[in-house]
């Protein structure tokens, strides 16, 4: 090689520094050599890995532009630690491979192609050796930069993974819905790899089917492809059967299809990656991503990353499911506890009402005997007075006639008030429900209500009020008709007595409907309604707002006892001032005689 100008090494060094890639560095070196030997060509094999045992990872610069470069010769040079020569593809040329002494980690081999005399002259030329040293320094710098870039990328990816895992763990304890949880998980996976097509499949029905709680796909309708269905021979089932990740490309897909391991479902993807979701040592589902583009493929690093993320997702999902189960169980326990408390309150209320009824009936029974004796005595006294009035001797004694008249009036007052007292005692005795006087039988509710209204017609016709009935003709109930008659008639008469202002034309509406294992009977008026202070006590004995005007306070108490004890049902009252009152009675289709019903609260707003 001819001597170069003094400035040439500096210009060459500047050219190398300006080159930012391995291919460009090789081209700068080759261009400088061709100024002296026009036929020379250069190529370089390089790798970031520092040992010769990994020479399979060698890459060529400037790439496909040097199709004559020999990978095998480069491997031999790295293994032997010295230069090697061999014939080049072109006639009369040789290929010389020189190991580069690099200060940074990594390895590289420079391959020179040309005629034998030219290559020999290069290796003996001091200028070439000086340029080779500069070339080695620049390659070392680029390798070191690649190392740093790789470290930065690995650190960034590691930080991204850590952020994603932290967010997934954070989502586990969040109070969001499962749909929001899956959406957030999808977003976290999308930050780590291509996940435009993503789905989660979970085993259900004791492992006999897959459910897809979350699926997003660019081509297929998730409602059609990703719906709950029995296990098939798709890719998802293959991952579930093997319990191992599957990185699928066309070649792997064709091999699995040919072996009968899978049958394709939906639009064929260019690349598919699925990993198992393992919970408590068992495959509980599959996490999968796929690509329909030739430009987007998945590799082993994606598989490793998705598998790692899937472990954390499975843990988070399991914790989430356990938390959801605990919340659901807690809610059920709370509901059951509330139901027990309500039942306890109702049983106490029922027992209180029943005890009051027995007390009233007992007192009435004790009063009945002396009351009967008093009625008998007063009647006998009245007979005596009548006999004296017929005695002719009395007619001659005006003072006796006057005294007898006063006595007769007193006896009439006594008998009249004793009669009222006896009627009241009979009402008291009815408070104690007697279950032995009637036989249960099936009644058509609509016909029964019509009969009740017919019997009350004399009371209704003298009022301006209307009564409407809404009930299916075929609705029937096995019950005690007499007790039910007392219930309906007492509520209707109570409405006539208390609900409406004088001169008001009111409406009473009776509605009967089927409800679960029984019927709901509603009796509603559009009258004045009741304040809470009244509504809360309507079923208590002796409570009335018309004391001294015909109200005894026993009608609705008797209704309550009949419904809850004899008919085995519940009754509630809802009312507000100016909004009328509604009594809702629920009666079961099947009720054993003598078994008390579970009463609802005595009054509701």
């Amino acid at each position: 090689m001819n001597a170069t100008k003094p400035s040439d090494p500096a210009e060459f060094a500047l050219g190398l520094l300006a080159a930012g890639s391995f291919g460009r560095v090789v081209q700068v070196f080759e261009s400088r050599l061709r100024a002296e030997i026009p036929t020379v060509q250069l190529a370089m094999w390089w790798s970031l890995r520092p040992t010769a045992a990994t020479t399979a990872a060698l890459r060529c610069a400037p790439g496909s532009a040097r199709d004559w470069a020999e990978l095998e010769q480069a491997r031999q040079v790295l293994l032997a630690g010295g230069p090697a020569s061999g014939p080049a593809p072109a006639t009369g040329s040789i290929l010389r491979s020189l190991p580069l002494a690099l200060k940074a980690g990594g390895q590289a081999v420079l391959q020179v192609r040309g005629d034998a005399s030219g290559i020999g002259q290069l290796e003996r030329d001091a200028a070439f050796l000086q340029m080779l040293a500069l070339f080695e320094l620049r390659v070392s710098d680029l390798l070191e930069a690649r190392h740093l870039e790789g470290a930065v990328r690995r650190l960034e990816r590691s930080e991204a993974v850590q952020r994603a895992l932290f967010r997934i763990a954070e989502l586990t304890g969040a109070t969001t819905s499962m749909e929001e949880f899956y959406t957030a998980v999808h977003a976290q996976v999308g930050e780590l790899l291509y996940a435009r097509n993503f789905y989660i499949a979970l085993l259900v029905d004791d492992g006999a089917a897959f459910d897809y709680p979350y699926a997003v796909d660019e081509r297929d309708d998730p409602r059609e492809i990703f719906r709950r269905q029995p296990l098939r021979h798709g890719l998802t089932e293959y991952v579930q059967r093997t319990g191992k990740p599957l990185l699928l490309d066309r070649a792997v897909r064709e091999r699995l299809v040919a072996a009968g391991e899978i049958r394709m479902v939906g639009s064929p993807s260019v690349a598919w990656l699925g990993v198992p979701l393992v919970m408590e040592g068992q495959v509980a589902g599959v996490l999968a991503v796929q690509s329909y583009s030739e430009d987007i493929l998945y590799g082993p690093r994606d598989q490793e990353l998705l598998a790692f993320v899937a472990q954390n997702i499975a843990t988070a999902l399991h914790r989430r499911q356990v938390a959801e189960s605990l919340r659901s169980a807690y809610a059920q326990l709370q509901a059951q506890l509330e139901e027990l408390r309500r039942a306890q309150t109702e049983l106490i209320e029922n027992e209180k009402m029943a005890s009051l009824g027995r007390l009233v009936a007992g007192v009435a029974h004790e009063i009945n005997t002396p009351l009967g004796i008093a009625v008998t005595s007063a009647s006998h006294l009245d007979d005596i007075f009548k006999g004296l009035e017929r005695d002719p001797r009395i007619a001659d004694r005006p003072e006796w006639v006057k005294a007898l008249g006063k006595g007769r009036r007193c006896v009439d007052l006594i008998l009249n008030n004793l009669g009222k007292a006896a009627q009241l005692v009979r009402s008291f005795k009815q408070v104690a429900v007697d279950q032995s006087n009637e036989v249960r039988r099936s009644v058509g509710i609509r016909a029964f209500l019509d009969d009740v209204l017919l019997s009350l017609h004399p009371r209704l016709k003298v009022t301006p009020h209307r009564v409407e009935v809404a009930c299916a003709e075929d609705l029937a109930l096995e019950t005690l008709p007499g007790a039910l008659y007392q219930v309906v008639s007492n509520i209707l008469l109570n409405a006539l007595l208390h609900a409406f202002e004088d001169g008001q034309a009111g409406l009473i509406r009776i509605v009967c409907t089927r409800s679960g294992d029984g019927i709901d009977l509603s009796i509603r008026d559009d009258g004045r309604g009741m304040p809470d202070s009244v509504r809360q006590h309507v079923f208590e004995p002796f409570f009335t707002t018309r004391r001294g005007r015909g109200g005894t306070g026993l009608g609705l108490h008797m209704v309550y006892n009949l419904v809850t004890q004899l008919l085995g049902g519940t009754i509630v009252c809802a009312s507000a001032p100016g909004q009328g009152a509604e009594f809702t009675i629920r009666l079961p289709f099947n009720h054993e005689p003598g078994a008390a019903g579970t009463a609802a609260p005595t009054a509701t707003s």
Side-chain angles (χ1 to χ4, degrees), residues 462-480:
V462 297
T463 71
H465 311 309
R466 293 183 298 113
V467 179
E468 295 180 355
V469 178
C471 180
E473 296 288 345
D474 60 347
L475 189 58
L477 178 71
E478 185 175 314
T479 187
L480 299 172

Side-chain angles (χ1 to χ4, degrees), residues 412-447:
D412 289 341
L413 287 174
I414 292 173
L415 288 174
N416 184 45
N417 283 280
L418 285 177
K420 292 180 179 180
Q423 178 62 37
L424 190 59
V425 168
R426 282 194 293 273
S427 297
F428 288 170
K429 292 180 69 176
Q430 286 181 346
V431 170
V433 179
D434 185 359
Q435 303 181 24
S436 62
N437 297 331
E438 190 175 9
V439 177
R440 294 175 64 85
R441 62 183 176 86
S442 179
V443 296
I445 301 300
R446 178 55 192 256

Side-chain angles (χ1 to χ4, degrees), residues 356 360 424 428 431 539-544 547 551-555 557:
L356 286 172
V360 171
L424 190 59
F428 288 170
V431 170
F539 295 123
E540 295 180 3
F542 306 115
F543 178 81
T544 179
R547 183 76 62 190
T552 63
L554 292 174
H557 177 67

Side-chain angles (χ1 to χ4, degrees), residues 36-191:
E36 303 298 332
I37 305 176
T39 60
V40 73
Q41 287 184 298
L42 299 182
M44 183 181 72
W45 294 94
W46 62 275
S47 174
L48 293 175
R49 300 180 183 180
T51 62
T54 58
T55 54
L58 288 173
R59 284 177 283 179
C60 184
S64 60
R66 300 295 187 265
D67 53 3
W68 47 265
E70 287 287 341
L71 174 61
E72 189 58 37
Q73 189 183 86
R75 286 175 176 169
Q76 292 175 5
V77 167
L78 288 175
L79 293 173
S85 299
T91 304
S93 298
I94 65 169
L95 186 64
R96 182 72 167 165
S97 294
L98 305 173
L100 299 181
L102 305 177
K103 65 175 183 178
Q107 53 195 8
V109 174
L110 179 65
Q111 289 187 331
V112 184
R113 173 183 149 177
D115 59 80
S117 61
I119 291 178
Q121 179 184 355
L122 281 177
E123 291 186 292
R124 295 188 300 271
D125 187 82
F128 170 75
L129 295 177
Q130 184 182 14
M131 287 189 292
L132 181 62
L134 292 174
F135 179 77
E136 288 175 335
L137 288 174
R138 183 55 181 153
V139 171
S140 293
D141 291 341
L142 289 176
L143 284 173
E144 186 174 3
R146 289 292 181 94
H147 275 295
L148 291 175
E149 290 173 2
V152 170
R153 285 196 298 270
R154 288 191 296 273
L155 180 60
E156 290 176 346
R157 171 160 285 199
S158 176
E159 291 178 348
V161 171
Q162 292 300 321
R163 286 196 302 270
L165 296 182
F166 176 79
R167 179 57 181 155
I168 290 171
E170 190 180 49
L171 290 169
T172 306
T175 57
T176 56
S177 65
M178 290 303 294
E179 177 67 22
E180 292 173 332
F181 173 76
Y182 292 133
T183 302
V185 166
H186 178 204
Q188 296 305 312
V189 173
E191 292 185 5

Side-chain angles (χ1 to χ4, degrees), residues 419-585:
K420 292 180 179 180
Q423 178 62 37
L424 190 59
V425 168
R426 282 194 293 273
S427 297
F428 288 170
K429 292 180 69 176
Q430 286 181 346
V431 170
V433 179
D434 185 359
Q435 303 181 24
S436 62
N437 297 331
E438 190 175 9
V439 177
R440 294 175 64 85
R441 62 183 176 86
S442 179
V443 296
I445 301 300
R446 178 55 192 256
F448 171 82
L449 293 174
D450 290 341
D451 290 342
V452 172
L453 295 179
L454 183 62
S455 68
L456 296 178
H457 181 68
R459 293 288 301 275
L460 291 171
K461 70 179 183 179
V462 297
T463 71
H465 311 309
R466 293 183 298 113
V467 179
E468 295 180 355
V469 178
C471 180
E473 296 288 345
D474 60 347
L475 189 58
L477 178 71
E478 185 175 314
T479 187
L480 299 172
L484 186 58
Y485 172 84
Q486 290 184 4
V487 168
V488 176
S489 60
N490 273 351
I491 294 176
L492 289 174
L493 293 175
N494 188 76
L496 294 178
L497 183 62
H498 297 280
F500 306 107
E501 302 285 354
D502 292 340
Q504 177 186 358
L507 172 65
I508 302 174
R509 183 170 174 79
I510 305 174
V511 179
C512 189
T513 58
R514 183 185 300 270
S515 176
D517 58 351
I519 66 168
D520 283 348
L521 179 62
S522 168
I523 304 176
R524 180 181 182 86
D525 64 69
D526 61 354
R528 73 184 75 183
M530 295 176 275
D532 282 348
S533 59
V534 173
R535 177 183 54 78
Q536 293 175 359
H537 302 284
V538 291
F539 295 123
E540 295 180 3
F542 306 115
F543 178 81
T544 179
T545 58
R546 296 180 65 87
R547 183 76 62 190
R549 293 180 293 168
T552 63
L554 292 174
L556 290 182
H557 177 67
M558 187 185 306
V559 166
Y560 182 89
N561 283 349
L562 288 171
V563 170
T564 60
Q565 297 180 49
L566 195 57
L567 300 179
T570 63
I571 180 170
V572 294
C573 173
S575 182
Q579 298 182 17
E582 181 177 16
F583 291 86
T584 302
I585 303 166

Side-chain angles (χ1 to χ4, degrees), residues 131-443:
M131 287 189 292
L132 181 62
L134 292 174
F135 179 77
E136 288 175 335
L137 288 174
R138 183 55 181 153
V139 171
S140 293
D141 291 341
L142 289 176
L143 284 173
E144 186 174 3
R146 289 292 181 94
H147 275 295
L148 291 175
E149 290 173 2
V152 170
R153 285 196 298 270
R154 288 191 296 273
L155 180 60
E156 290 176 346
R157 171 160 285 199
S158 176
E159 291 178 348
V161 171
Q162 292 300 321
R163 286 196 302 270
L165 296 182
F166 176 79
R167 179 57 181 155
I168 290 171
E170 190 180 49
L171 290 169
T172 306
T175 57
T176 56
S177 65
M178 290 303 294
E179 177 67 22
E180 292 173 332
F181 173 76
Y182 292 133
T183 302
V185 166
H186 178 204
Q188 296 305 312
V189 173
E191 292 185 5
L192 304 175
L193 48 81
Y194 181 81
R196 295 283 296 276
N197 305 286
F198 171 89
Y199 67 85
I200 297 174
L202 297 178
L203 284 171
V204 294
D205 300 337
D206 295 327
F210 262 132
D211 185 34
Y212 298 85
Y214 185 84
V216 176
D217 196 273
E218 294 176 298
R219 293 195 178 179
D220 293 325
D221 185 353
R223 293 171 298 182
E224 294 296 327
I225 300 298
F226 302 104
R227 53 186 174 84
R228 178 180 294 213
Q229 52 195 322
L231 297 184
R232 301 171 296 181
H233 271 70
L235 294 172
T236 309
E237 287 81 1
Y238 180 82
V239 173
Q240 179 265 328
R241 288 197 308 272
T242 62
K244 299 178 180 179
L246 175 62
L247 179 58
L248 188 84
D249 55 20
R250 285 194 176 93
V252 175
R253 180 173 65 239
E254 291 173 0
R255 176 172 57 80
L256 293 178
V257 171
E261 292 285 351
I262 62 171
R263 290 194 295 271
M264 297 307 299
V265 178
S267 301
S269 56
V270 175
W272 189 92
L273 175 59
V275 294
L277 292 171
V278 180
M279 301 181 192
E280 297 184 314
Q282 300 291 327
V283 176
V286 173
L287 180 70
V289 293
Q290 58 184 336
S291 166
Y292 296 108
S293 173
E294 296 284 353
D295 298 330
I296 302 174
L297 303 176
Y298 299 110
R301 290 181 63 85
D302 295 315
Q303 175 179 315
E304 180 181 349
L305 179 61
L306 190 62
F308 181 64
V309 173
Q311 293 176 5
N312 290 270
I313 290 176
T315 301
L317 186 59
H318 179 63
R319 290 176 180 171
R320 180 82 186 195
Q321 289 176 342
V322 170
E324 288 287 329
S325 298
L326 289 176
R327 279 194 288 268
S328 177
Y330 179 75
Q332 291 179 1
L333 288 175
Q334 286 292 97
Q336 291 174 359
L337 180 60
E338 186 63 29
E339 181 67 20
L340 287 174
R341 287 173 178 167
R342 188 182 68 83
Q344 182 184 36
T345 302
E346 292 164 359
L347 289 173
I348 293 173
E349 187 70 20
N350 278 352
E351 184 59 29
K352 181 185 75 173
M353 293 294 188
S355 297
L356 286 172
R358 288 191 295 269
L359 175 63
V360 171
V363 171
H365 178 75
E366 295 299 326
I367 294 175
N368 196 50
T369 299
L371 190 62
I373 294 173
V375 170
T376 302
S377 299
S379 298
H380 181 63
L381 184 60
D382 185 55
D383 291 339
I384 292 175
F385 284 164
K386 289 179 179 178
L388 289 174
E389 286 178 344
R390 290 192 297 272
D391 191 330
R393 293 173 296 175
I394 299 298
D396 296 335
R397 306 289 299 269
E399 64 276 11
W400 285 20
V401 172
K402 185 178 180 180
L404 286 175
K406 291 181 179 179
R408 282 290 307 278
R409 287 193 294 274
C410 289
V411 169
D412 289 341
L413 287 174
I414 292 173
L415 288 174
N416 184 45
N417 283 280
L418 285 177
K420 292 180 179 180
Q423 178 62 37
L424 190 59
V425 168
R426 282 194 293 273
S427 297
F428 288 170
K429 292 180 69 176
Q430 286 181 346
V431 170
V433 179
D434 185 359
Q435 303 181 24
S436 62
N437 297 331
E438 190 175 9
V439 177
R440 294 175 64 85
R441 62 183 176 86
S442 179
V443 296

